[in-house]
Amino acid sequence: MNSVPPSLRSARRVVVKIGSALLVDADLAAPRAAWLAGIAEDIAELRGCGTEVIVVSSGAIALARRTLKLTQARLRLEEKQAAAAVGQIRLAQAWSEALQARGMVAAQLLLTIADSEDRRRYLNARATLETLLRLGCVPVINENDSVATAEIRFGDNDRLAARVAEMVQADQLILLSDIDGLYTADPKRNADASHIPVVAALTADIEAMGGDPPPGYSSGGMRTKLVAARIATGAGCAMAIALGHADRPLHALAAGARCTWFLAAPEGRSARKNWILNGLQQTGSLMVDAGAARALVKGGSLLPAGVRGLAGVFERGDAVAVLGPQGEAVARGLSAYASADAARIIGHRSGEIEAILGWRGRDEIIHRDDLVLLAGA
Ligand code: GLU
């Protein structure tokens, strides 16, 4: 089995989950402005490389505790719901300001579990997310705590983030946490605990490392992260648990900071490929030369240099046909570039993309993870 962890730098679409403890200064009950500025910088950097970013942010309840004098460790459900109604306004404002300072537009979505399970609502939420991404916004999602009753609550944003990653077919989910990954035991209590860099399969041994939820404000802990891993990897999305506390955590992760990667499950990968093949309307095509067609058959990505021409109008992330030199269908994949940009870079080396477009997009026009070879190719 392939156990090479993915790199954040190669993500096409990433969901980043941010917990309350990272975002909220517990003493001041205020957003950690400097940290938020750093993560906004990270998001701008990822988007500059052609990666779409969706944020799942906690913090609504934590931001309202002081104002509402609800500072006890455990809140009742109705207190949480009231706190979320107050804190969500501040949370959205903090995100809007931080992203705006880097020239980005924040878009708030509040979801309940029904939005991820009822098919009509699921499609609706997905369509809105797709449109927001297309318009260049950064969706910032939280659970709609104020209306979700106990039975229909996610209750933790780890699981919500995994459902969102599944919904938008993200290729990576990053859980920013107060720990740099999964350990064989709780490292705070056990000096022998060792860090696990890559989890290729969620075996019973791995599940047993979940432990108990932590005390205090945060609702997650390792157990909900492993539940999230099961949802995400089963949908063909790789997941990382990485340290979030220091400034610029995504930059650090992209530069190789220690974390745990959960690899996409092979059957999840095929579900994803099936979705690329059948679940999307094809909006255009790319004509490639013989060398590029051979490289694809060998498992490579499609680089702009190998593309001779294109047809149709498509956006970044749309499904396109890949046609060989004789016009034969070779593959289908998700284009990392809109047709207008693709038209300018085809035939050029990846190193020239930045000079041509004025921004550093991805090296590949279709990454191999987003490409499905057609039978007979
Ligand atoms: N939705 C909750 C909030 O915004 C947080 C849930 C969680 O921390 O996982 O406060």
Side-chain angles (χ1 to χ4, degrees):
M1 183 187 284
N2 179 7
S3 60
V4 182
S7 152
L8 180 54
R9 285 195 214 279
S10 69
R12 179 184 53 82
R13 180 174 281 180
V14 58
V15 175
V16 181
K17 184 261 171 176
I18 296 167
S20 304
L22 301 177
L23 245 153
V24 182
D25 180 323
D27 296 332
L28 299 173
R32 293 173 67 216
W35 186 88
L36 258 169
I39 196 99
E41 187 78 46
D42 284 354
I43 293 170
E45 190 172 276
L46 280 169
R47 283 164 43 106
C49 296
T51 303
E52 294 174 328
V53 182
I54 294 173
V55 173
V56 173
S57 173
S58 307
I61 297 170
L63 279 173
R65 280 171 172 269
R66 175 69 53 88
T67 315
L68 299 179
K69 301 190 175 56
L70 294 171
T71 44
Q72 64 273 34
R74 293 232 166 262
L75 298 184
R76 295 201 310 271
L77 177 62
E78 56 274 27
E79 289 170 332
K80 284 189 191 166
Q81 296 189 294
V86 172
Q88 186 61 35
I89 298 177
R90 293 184 73 192
L91 184 63
Q93 188 184 3
W95 274 110
S96 180
E97 285 172 3
L99 292 172
Q100 197 176 13
R102 294 288 180 287
M104 295 175 284
V105 177
Q108 172 184 270
L109 259 91
L110 299 179
L111 299 179
T112 58
I113 221 163
D115 297 313
S116 81
E117 284 175 356
D118 174 276
R119 185 160 167 79
R120 213 159 51 87
R121 288 169 73 165
Y122 178 99
L123 292 175
N124 215 1
R126 188 172 80 179
T128 305
L129 279 166
E130 294 287 353
T131 307
L132 287 169
L133 290 171
R134 201 150 285 180
L135 292 170
C137 302
V138 179
V140 179
I141 300 174
N142 197 357
E143 180 163 15
N144 197 348
D145 289 306
S146 299
V147 298
T149 54
E151 318 78 71
I152 59 154
R153 266 182 108 226
F154 281 103
D156 67 86
N157 277 3
D158 294 328
R159 214 150 44 105
L160 171 64
R163 285 281 178 222
V164 169
E166 179 184 40
M167 188 187 288
V168 299
Q169 293 279 333
D171 44 356
Q172 294 182 16
L173 166 63
I174 313 295
L175 303 183
L176 291 180
S177 171
D178 58 356
I179 190 163
D180 59 359
L182 181 67
Y183 284 76
T184 50
D186 182 349
K188 290 193 195 98
R189 286 186 230 162
N190 189 333
D192 295 333
S194 57
H195 179 264
I196 303 174
V198 179
V199 175
L202 285 159
T203 58
D205 287 355
I206 296 286
E207 300 276 7
M209 292 169 195
D212 296 323
Y217 283 4
S218 54
S219 54
M222 204 44 83
R223 184 159 299 287
T224 59
K225 291 182 175 44
L226 292 178
V227 173
R230 181 162 293 286
I231 297 169
T233 59
C237 172
M239 186 186 105
I241 299 174
L243 201 55
H245 239 96
D247 287 348
R248 313 269 336 253
L250 296 174
H251 182 83
L253 180 62
R258 189 156 95 148
C259 69
T260 296
W261 276 108
F262 295 80
L263 304 184
E267 67 278 15
R269 241 182 254 132
S270 52
R272 188 161 191 282
K273 297 220 154 172
N274 199 18
W275 172 77
I276 293 173
L277 215 47
N278 305 311
L280 294 167
Q281 216 181 329
Q282 190 170 295
T283 49
S285 47
L286 300 172
M287 280 66 91
V288 307
D289 62 25
R294 268 198 306 278
L296 297 185
V297 172
K298 282 194 194 139
S301 297
L302 181 61
L303 303 177
V307 183
R308 287 281 168 76
L310 59 83
V313 176
F314 48 90
E315 298 293 335
R316 194 161 75 178
D318 278 350
V320 295
V322 179
L323 308 176
Q326 258 55 262
E328 73 282 19
V330 177
R332 195 167 197 225
L334 308 182
S335 176
Y337 290 89
S339 48
D341 293 329
R344 297 170 64 196
I345 60 170
I346 58 176
H348 289 277
R349 283 185 297 107
S350 301
E352 297 174 282
I353 294 175
E354 187 163 8
I356 297 170
L357 297 180
W359 48 280
R360 191 188 145 195
R362 289 179 57 158
D363 287 352
E364 314 85 14
I365 203 157
I366 303 179
H367 191 272
R368 62 167 175 270
D369 292 346
D370 297 331
L371 189 105
V372 188
L373 291 173
L374 298 174

